[in-house]
């Protein structure tokens, strides 16, 4: 049996390299082999941090009898959904059409042409063995019915295409409807939206922050503050090391599904940073600082770039690293501090998790506590973290995903300029260099890299959008022309290769591998949709470059997401956040100076007072390759801030106080 996964870029595929299953990577050769043998294909899709993927692998793919069935009757293809989101999207649509739901692991039976005819998710070993037998029987004895079923699924997948539908131009009324829709779904007690399982609604929160800044809505701001505080105190947040888990299995944020994803933490870093900027809440600043530290400490890879995820399991046990019982606290801290910690972190004999163990939550407000209490908390926290380090640790998926690193770069750049963290700022610049040098090949993006080597999968639309937005963020941090030029190159490719011709965008390029259908999903789910991400970059690029064509493309694309924003805002959070920035202008601020130190107060006022989505560049007047600094002279030889909105500018100011006034929405011309 060939070991075809031994050289795979994906750590998820590497996890299956020693299975007795004769796995293939996704390739034309795999389907050709199925045609040669005249057998159906099993397409198994998952990702490295997926708990139930590990369970199915242990129960079925490591089982000799199940593997024999798979090898004798099928060609088995293993797919990392994070590496091939296009393949995942197509077959997830098929799975949802057939079963009414989706998830991972995803298990698809398809013809040698790739047409799915039976789809599901996790199957226990016995059920999976019976299913393999049934599919083999149907393939050999009822081929016509199987092919007809496949054709019907393919037709359903094609009908789910989201191109050419109704549009709704962005307006204040549309965004008000989105905010009202979120308010109806809000959990007034525990924060967030909906019930269990509860996911951190980072993109909706980012939208509501911008909505508050544009409209003054106190309700929108309180929705964000309440959700952020409850998440920060809950078990979904790692109370010892920082960083957020993927979701909570309950409505109270208490027990998480323990995997930690780069994209969640990048997006939440933006939310907590911006919440602190607007409110000055100390807990928001602490969580932002700790999340930035988590990204760089726990996800930084030796070859550069940020790893995708930390696993939910350690030694095959979910949450083994993170949960505690009272006796374990006493063993780590002694009786007095152990009892104190049990009370603070709500660790009880009954437990909130499994086997009488609890996930640490923060039962009281520590950020406003008296100094002796805060000092004791910090000491206990450090000692517990040291004790936890001796436990088995979760595995890490160390592939570098372009779009997720792009999200992190933007978040770190914002955190750096707003808090003054040179660590975050420098990390954003360094990470951008990794993407530019490693993932950008012959003018096109590669989706993933690992150990310093780019993988083969082509970048999808979200990669182009998130990386372009990241390059624009670094352009603002550095005033270096290179980053603006690279962002424009990516956007030009995206418009030419991914545009649908009617304002929308496909998720794959026009010269990408042909699948059952060309995916085009505008919904914001765990990450921004490709459409939302590309719109964010287009809006910022137009403001930074003065090229109105980018804004025209963005407005047309946002209009295709308009019905989703107004009718289903929980699935359009990033699109709505971008729309808020577009409706605000966005603000364009150029701080012209030849003495950065002298301009410090003016620059700080720009970053602290400008609403989310504003573009800000600081540098010497008429710096080559930086359009926002063109024709921006000093005032009496000193720093000057130029504030524009929608390409309409007011007179320059030279004091932080005057700049703050200029940035009030009721002062600038519409």
């Amino acid at each position: 049996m060939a070991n075809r996964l031994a050289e795979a870029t994906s750590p998820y595929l590497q996890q299956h390299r020693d299975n007795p299953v004769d796995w293939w990577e996704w390739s034309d050769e795999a389907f050709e082999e199925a045609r040669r043998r005249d057998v159906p294909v099993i397409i198994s899709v998952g990702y490295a941090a997926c708990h139930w993927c590990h369970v199915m692998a242990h129960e079925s793919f490591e089982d000799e009898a199940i593997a024999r069935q798979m090898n004798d009757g099928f060609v088995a293809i293993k797919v990392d959904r994070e590496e091939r989101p296009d393949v995942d999207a197509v077959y997830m649509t098929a799975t949802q059409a057939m079963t009414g739901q989706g998830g991972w692991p995803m298990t698809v039976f398809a013809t040698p042409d790739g047409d799915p005819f039976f789809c599901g998710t996790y199957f226990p070993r016995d059920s999976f063995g019976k299913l393999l037998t049934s599919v083999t029987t149907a393939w050999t004895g009822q081929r016509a019915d199987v092919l007809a079923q496949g054709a019907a699924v393919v037709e359903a997948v094609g009908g789910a295409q989201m191109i050419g539908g109704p549009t709704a131009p962005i307006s204040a009324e549309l965004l008000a409807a989105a905010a009202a829709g979120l308010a109806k779904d809000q959990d007034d007690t525990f924060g967030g939206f909906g019930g269990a399982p509860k996911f951190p609604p980072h993109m909706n929160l980012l939208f509501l922050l911008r909505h508050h800044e544009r409209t003054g809505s106190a309700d929108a701001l309180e929705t964000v503050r309440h959700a952020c505080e409850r998440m920060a105190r809950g078990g979904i947040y790692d109370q010892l090391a920082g960083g957020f888990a993927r979701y909570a299995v309950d409505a109270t944020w208490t027990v998480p599904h323990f995997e930690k994803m780069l994209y969640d933490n990048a997006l939440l870093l933006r939310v907590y940073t911006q919440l602190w900027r607007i409110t000055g809440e100390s807990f928001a600043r602490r969580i932002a600082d700790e999340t930035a530290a988590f990204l760089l400490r726990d996800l930084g890879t030796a070859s550069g770039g940020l790893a995708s995820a930390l696993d939910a399991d350690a030694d095959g046990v979910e949450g083994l690293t993170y949960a505690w019982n009272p006796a374990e606290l006493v063993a780590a801290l002694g009786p007095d501090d152990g009892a104190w910690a049990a009370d603070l972190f709500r660790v009880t004999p009954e437990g909130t998790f499994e086997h009488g163990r609890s996930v640490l939550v923060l039962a009281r407000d520590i950020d406003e506590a008296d100094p002796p209490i805060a000092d004791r908390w910090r000491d206990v926290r450090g000692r517990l973290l040291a004790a936890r380090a001796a436990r088995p640790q979760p595995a890490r998926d160390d592939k570098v995903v372009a779009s997720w690193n792009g999200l992190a770069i933007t978040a770190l750049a914002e955190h750096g300029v707003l808090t003054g963290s040179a660590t975050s700022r420098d990390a954003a610049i360094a990470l951008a260099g990794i993407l530019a040098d490693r993932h950008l090949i012959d003018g096109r993006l590669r989706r993933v890299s690992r150990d310093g080597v780019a993988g083969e999968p082509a970048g999808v639309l979200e990669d182009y959008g998130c990386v372009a937005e990241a390059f624009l963020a670094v352009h603002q941090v550095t005033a270096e022309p290179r980053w603006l030029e690279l962002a424009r190159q990516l956007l030009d490719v995206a418009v030419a290769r991914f545009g649908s011709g009617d304002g929308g965008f496909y998720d794959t390029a026009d010269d990408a591998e042909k699948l059952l259908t060309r995916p085009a999903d505008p919904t914001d789910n765990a990450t921004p949709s490709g459409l939302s991400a590309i719109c964010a970059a287009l809006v910022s690029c137009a403001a930074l470059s003065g090229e109105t064509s980018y804004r025209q493309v963005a407005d047309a694309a946002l209009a295709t997401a308009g019905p989703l924003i107004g009718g289903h805002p929980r699935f359009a959070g990033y699109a709505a956040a971008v729309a808020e920035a577009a409706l605000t202008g966005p603000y364009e601020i150029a701080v012209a100076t030849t003495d950065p130190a002298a301009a410090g107060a003016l620059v700080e006022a720009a970053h602290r007072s400008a609403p989310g989505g504003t573009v800000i560049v600081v540098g010497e007047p008429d710096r080559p390759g930086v359009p926002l600094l063109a024709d921006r002279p000093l005032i009496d030889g000193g720093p000057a801030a130029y504030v524009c909105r929608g390409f309409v500018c007011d007179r320059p100011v030279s004091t932080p106080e005057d700049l703050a006034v200029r940035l009030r929405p009721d002062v600038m011309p519409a």
Side-chain angles (χ1 to χ4, degrees):
M1 184 182 71
N3 188 343
R4 300 184 189 87
L5 305 186
E7 301 302 322
T9 304
S10 162
Y12 174 63
L13 269 58
Q14 290 276 356
Q15 289 172 357
H16 294 268
R17 61 186 293 177
D18 296 323
N19 292 167
V21 177
D22 187 11
W23 290 113
W24 292 69
E25 289 196 64
W26 178 271
S27 62
D28 291 339
E29 290 77 13
F31 290 97
E32 289 170 4
E33 176 69 5
R35 282 189 284 270
R36 185 188 69 79
R37 292 176 52 199
D38 191 30
V39 295
V41 173
I42 297 175
I43 304 168
S44 176
V45 185
Y47 58 103
C50 166
H51 171 70
W52 289 102
C53 299
H54 296 321
V55 173
M56 190 166 178
H58 178 67
E59 290 179 344
S60 295
F61 303 148
E62 296 174 8
D63 183 90
E64 294 285 349
I66 292 291
R68 193 175 306 113
Q69 279 187 277
M70 295 176 68
N71 296 339
D72 290 347
F74 304 86
V75 167
I77 300 175
K78 178 59 72 173
V79 177
D80 183 342
R81 66 171 291 262
E82 298 171 352
E83 189 173 61
R84 290 303 302 265
D86 51 343
V87 173
D88 176 66
V90 168
Y91 288 103
M92 183 58 72
T93 301
T95 300
Q96 291 170 333
M98 181 169 285
T99 68
Q101 60 186 11
W104 301 276
M106 177 166 56
T107 308
V108 176
F109 293 86
T111 71
D113 292 327
D115 297 352
F117 59 83
F118 188 86
C119 306
T121 52
Y122 162 76
F123 292 99
R125 182 199 176 283
D126 290 345
S127 299
F128 190 54
K130 293 175 183 176
L131 178 60
L132 293 172
T133 300
S134 298
V135 172
T136 297
T137 300
W139 182 257
T140 56
Q142 301 167 284
R143 180 75 62 90
D145 292 340
V146 170
L147 294 177
Q149 173 76 0
V153 175
V154 170
E155 183 177 358
V157 171
Q161 188 61 265
M162 297 183 182
I163 288 289
T167 62
I170 297 304
S171 65
E173 293 74 20
L174 184 75
L175 295 174
L182 289 175
K184 292 178 182 178
D185 284 344
Q186 183 184 187
D187 182 338
D188 292 329
T189 302
F190 298 107
F193 306 102
K198 188 176 279 186
F199 292 79
H202 27 57
M203 291 176 279
N204 295 125
L205 300 181
L206 193 63
F207 155 59
L208 290 173
L209 285 174
R210 292 183 178 182
H211 187 70
H212 158 74
E213 290 191 282
R214 182 177 60 83
T215 66
S217 169
D219 289 342
L221 180 59
E222 178 55 25
T223 296
V224 178
R225 194 208 61 76
H226 181 49
C228 284
E229 184 175 23
R230 295 307 299 241
M231 287 191 296
R233 292 193 184 191
I236 194 173
Y237 185 69
D238 186 342
Q239 299 296 337
L240 300 184
F244 289 86
R246 177 70 194 93
Y247 63 87
V249 301
D250 49 52
T252 64
W253 307 112
T254 301
V255 177
H257 188 50
F258 292 91
E259 65 197 35
K260 291 180 180 177
M261 310 302 295
L262 170 59
Y263 52 77
D264 285 318
N265 284 281
L267 289 162
L268 286 164
L269 173 56
R270 291 187 74 180
V271 170
Y272 280 91
T273 299
Q274 295 295 336
L275 178 62
W276 170 74
R277 176 181 65 81
I278 293 168
T279 66
E281 290 268 12
S282 55
F283 86 88
R285 172 64 187 270
R286 175 173 65 84
I287 300 300
D289 291 349
E290 292 174 1
T291 303
F294 162 76
L295 288 175
L296 300 178
R297 180 191 64 240
D298 292 353
L299 297 184
T301 68
S303 58
L306 298 178
S308 297
L310 296 181
D311 208 333
D313 303 352
D315 281 359
V317 180
E318 185 178 10
L320 177 64
T321 307
Y322 302 102
W324 300 78
N325 62 35
E328 290 169 328
L329 294 180
V330 170
L333 301 171
D336 290 343
D337 282 344
W340 187 84
D343 178 62
L344 178 65
F345 292 123
R346 202 174 290 152
V347 176
T348 64
E350 298 78 19
T352 56
F353 186 46
E354 298 170 347
H355 312 299
R357 304 176 86 220
S358 297
V359 181
L360 303 187
V361 301
L362 197 57
R364 289 184 298 282
D365 181 6
I366 205 70
D367 296 285
E368 303 299 330
D370 291 337
I373 300 296
D375 289 343
R376 188 178 189 184
W377 163 73
R378 279 187 286 270
D379 174 65
V380 162
R381 190 187 194 203
R383 289 155 61 199
L384 286 178
L385 187 59
R388 195 176 85 178
R391 296 177 173 181
Q393 297 298 305
R396 188 173 78 166
D397 182 341
D398 58 357
K399 71 176 180 295
V400 173
V401 176
S403 61
W404 304 354
N405 274 255
L407 292 172
I409 290 165
T410 301
L412 288 165
E414 290 183 1
H415 181 261
V417 297
L418 287 170
T419 67
S421 169
T423 299
S424 290
R425 176 188 183 276
D426 293 346
I429 298 169
L431 289 167
I434 293 292
L435 293 185
D437 297 340
R438 185 180 302 160
H439 285 247
L440 190 55
I441 299 173
D442 296 330
R444 304 292 288 270
L445 275 174
R446 298 286 181 89
R447 169 78 175 168
V448 297
S449 67
R450 189 179 183 215
D451 296 332
V453 179
E456 290 298 321
V460 295
L461 184 64
E462 74 166 47
D463 294 307
Y464 281 81
C466 292
V467 174
E469 187 176 17
F471 287 169
L472 294 170
V474 174
H475 172 69
Q476 294 176 68
V477 167
T478 63
E480 291 293 335
R482 175 196 187 200
W483 302 111
L484 177 59
E485 180 57 32
L486 285 174
R488 293 178 67 170
Q489 290 177 19
L490 293 178
L491 292 175
D492 290 345
V493 170
V495 172
R497 294 290 190 179
F498 293 81
S500 65
D502 62 356
F505 281 86
Y506 289 99
D507 291 327
T508 55
D510 57 2
D511 58 352
E513 177 186 357
K514 298 298 185 286
L515 301 171
L516 292 180
T517 187
R518 193 177 174 192
D521 185 357
T523 57
D524 297 319
N525 287 301
T527 58
S529 70
L531 180 77
S532 299
I534 210 72
C535 286
L538 286 164
V539 168
S540 292
C541 193
L544 286 164
S545 68
E547 292 288 343
T548 57
S549 60
Y550 291 128
R551 180 57 185 268
Q552 292 166 357
V553 175
D555 288 344
L558 282 172
T560 69
L564 191 65
I565 293 172
H568 304 280
R570 284 182 63 184
F571 301 98
Y574 209 65
V578 177
E580 283 287 352
L583 202 61
T584 301
Y587 284 99
E588 309 142 24
I589 303 176
V591 180
T593 181
T594 56
D595 183 357
L602 204 57
V603 172
E604 182 179 1
H607 285 295
R608 293 296 297 271
S609 301
T614 297
V615 299
I616 302 171
V617 176
V618 181
E620 63 270 19
D622 297 308
R623 182 167 186 173
V626 186
L628 208 60
L629 291 171
D631 301 317
R632 308 295 194 203
L634 305 178
I635 295 179
D636 297 328
Y642 293 80
V643 182
C644 308
R645 189 168 68 172
F647 308 110
V648 178
C649 302
D650 206 340
R651 63 180 178 81
V653 296
S654 58
T655 69
E657 295 76 17
D658 286 343
L659 179 56
V661 171
R662 287 282 179 272
L663 291 172
R664 282 172 27 203
D666 59 319
V667 172
M668 281 298 300

